[in-house]
Amino acid sequence: MNIEKLTELLPQSIDAALIITPCNRRYFTGFPSSDGFLLVTRKGSIFFTDSRYIEAARKAIKCCDTAEGINVFAQIRDYLNERQVKTVALEASGITLAQFGRIKDNESLKDFEFICDSALDTAISILRMKKSEAEVKSMKEAQAIAEKGFLHILNFIKKGRTEKEIQLELDYFMLRNGGEALSFETIAVSGVNSSMPHGVPTDKEVQEGDFITMDFGTVTNGCHSDMTRTVAVGYASDEQKEVYETVLKAQKAALSVLKAGLPCAHGDKAARDVIEKAGYGSAFGHSTGHGVGLEIHELPNLSPKSKMILETGNVVTVEPGIYLPGRFGVRIEDMAYITDTGCENLTAAEKSLIIL
Ligand SMILES: [Mn+2]
């Protein structure tokens, strides 16, 4: 169970963890809610939530006790005192200063030491990086919906459509076909706008000769998908084709080296080397990829700065790009599940250049 594993990963100086962020609460309990406190100790764990959720929480949560939070800080105090807890870790990267203040300055909790450094976040991210079978299944489901959306949007795109129309059509399709949310605000940028890696869709109409870059994903059971495709409308110039092929070659180069044991920075380098060799090094400013799961950006990162090593069970995106300001850009992105021998590509959508 993840809760037990968490207590093993925490430094001995920490007796308990108070988990507040919705994403981590959901990760450990499997139960999504907007309110709750998950209190994890070495001698038992309990989830407090309010009257709106308690009935559903009692039915759904099997991994720890549940209780309705009536006077929740006093209840937390009593639970901790019964277990002789002195030190309690908090999620430094996820809670607000206001939340930290409310806990640390609470009259009921004044006898405990609250630790808000990286210890708890580190322990949780070690667990979350290794995806469970259920999480991978959900990510595959989300990805399948997104890929249906990609096929749908290929029939929708034509000269005269605006970027916003393409964005909204893709969003509606994914939500209409089983997606419970969008992974992030869909990017659909065309022509000169495609040189902005995270450009925001505008009322610009698609013209012949435009590249359109679409970066999108959907969510099932809280798990995110993430993919990017660049397609051409009408025709593509020789230069556009050359840039496209370079990005594709870089993307495939990274995918071919990913496996458990590989330093993340080497995964990035495999893609970056191809782009640099082709003379576009300065046009690839971002990292090659990032972890994805219950959140759209998780560890590990395929970044030149990363010191992490890939492990079996990680899911990372592989998304090199080339961006020529004022002209055009290309990005191609798949998600990869890391294994002992390589990686399983979770993305099946066509990658060779599509000219609509
Ligand atoms: Mn991505």
Side-chain angles (χ1 to χ4, degrees), residues 33-69:
S33 60
S34 65
D35 174 85
F37 293 87
L38 173 62
L39 189 55
V40 175
T41 81
R42 296 179 194 278
K43 297 170 189 162
S45 300
I46 185 165
F47 180 69
F48 295 102
T49 189
D50 68 24
S51 62
R52 295 170 297 168
Y53 292 107
I54 188 63
E55 185 181 353
R58 283 199 173 111
K59 278 189 197 138
I61 298 176
K62 306 274 179 263
C63 61
C64 66
D65 296 330
T66 47
E68 183 174 350

Side-chain angles (χ1 to χ4, degrees), residues 215 226 290 297 317 319 333:
D215 188 345
D226 194 0
H290 55 87
H297 292 121
T317 67
E319 50 177 311
E333 174 181 27

Side-chain angles (χ1 to χ4, degrees), residues 200-220:
V200 176
T202 68
D203 292 323
K204 177 192 169 297
E205 292 179 2
V206 168
Q207 296 161 17
E208 296 221 334
D210 275 358
F211 265 156
I212 305 173
T213 296
M214 292 166 286
D215 188 345
F216 56 100
T218 188
V219 180
T220 60

Side-chain angles (χ1 to χ4, degrees), residues 184 198 215-216 225-228 288-292 296-297 316-319 331 333-335:
F184 48 85
H198 275 195
D215 188 345
F216 56 100
S225 73
D226 194 0
M227 72 177 284
T228 306
T288 295
H290 55 87
V292 52
I296 188 62
H297 292 121
V316 291
T317 67
V318 183
E319 50 177 311
R331 180 167 65 258
E333 174 181 27
D334 291 345
M335 283 192 303

